[in-house]
Amino acid sequence: MKTAVILATLLVGAQSFGIAPQTTRFNTQLKGLIPEDEMTPDQLEILRIQRKWSEVRQLSREEAEKTLDEEWLAAYNRFFEKYDDDMTRMQEIADKLGPMLEPPKVAKKSKGQKRRDAIARELARSGGAAN
């Protein structure tokens, strides 16, 4: 009987620090679109621009130069200049943080090196006089 009580206590203690399962999830439609027939002209214009930009962003640089007009080409070039600038900046930050996150490993001392160090400490304590 004591064993059952102890095991039950351990089980309750372990469960009290566990992660509670999430049984309910509320699915909110924050990114839901309004049906097009209910949109205002401004919203329709924004939707048209979003769809156009989704197509433009996927183009390669050569295709963009051939097919896009001046306004879209300027937007395309601004976007990818900023993107490339941000990527080089993040690469520089990663290069600086790399050694801090993974410091170089110091090689272990060999048995002989440990003995030489011990002898050097003894000599330093005794003032350099060899016994």
Side-chain angles (χ1 to χ4, degrees), residues 102-114:
E102 297 175 11
K105 301 223 176 199
V106 178
K108 287 187 172 184
K109 291 184 179 181
S110 66
K111 190 174 185 179
Q113 184 63 42
K114 289 178 187 176

Side-chain angles (χ1 to χ4, degrees), residues 31-81:
K31 294 185 178 181
L33 285 177
I34 301 170
E36 288 189 25
D37 56 342
E38 296 178 12
M39 288 186 180
T40 64
D42 292 337
Q43 290 173 330
L44 287 171
E45 180 66 19
I46 291 170
L47 182 64
R48 185 189 65 76
I49 292 171
Q50 284 176 340
R51 288 181 178 161
K52 175 73 174 172
W53 180 247
S54 295
E55 295 171 6
V56 167
R57 200 177 50 200
Q58 303 300 322
L59 297 175
S60 67
R61 294 198 189 249
E62 295 82 21
E63 291 174 341
E65 289 177 3
K66 291 178 186 174
T67 59
L68 297 178
D69 61 348
E70 290 181 20
E71 182 181 352
W72 283 104
L73 184 60
Y76 178 89
N77 288 333
R78 273 194 314 271
F79 175 78
F80 278 104
E81 281 178 23

Side-chain angles (χ1 to χ4, degrees), residues 107-125:
K108 287 187 172 184
K109 291 184 179 181
S110 66
K111 190 174 185 179
Q113 184 63 42
K114 289 178 187 176
R115 287 181 182 168
R116 288 189 289 274
D117 289 346
I119 292 170
R121 279 193 303 273
E122 288 177 18
L123 287 175
R125 276 189 230 134

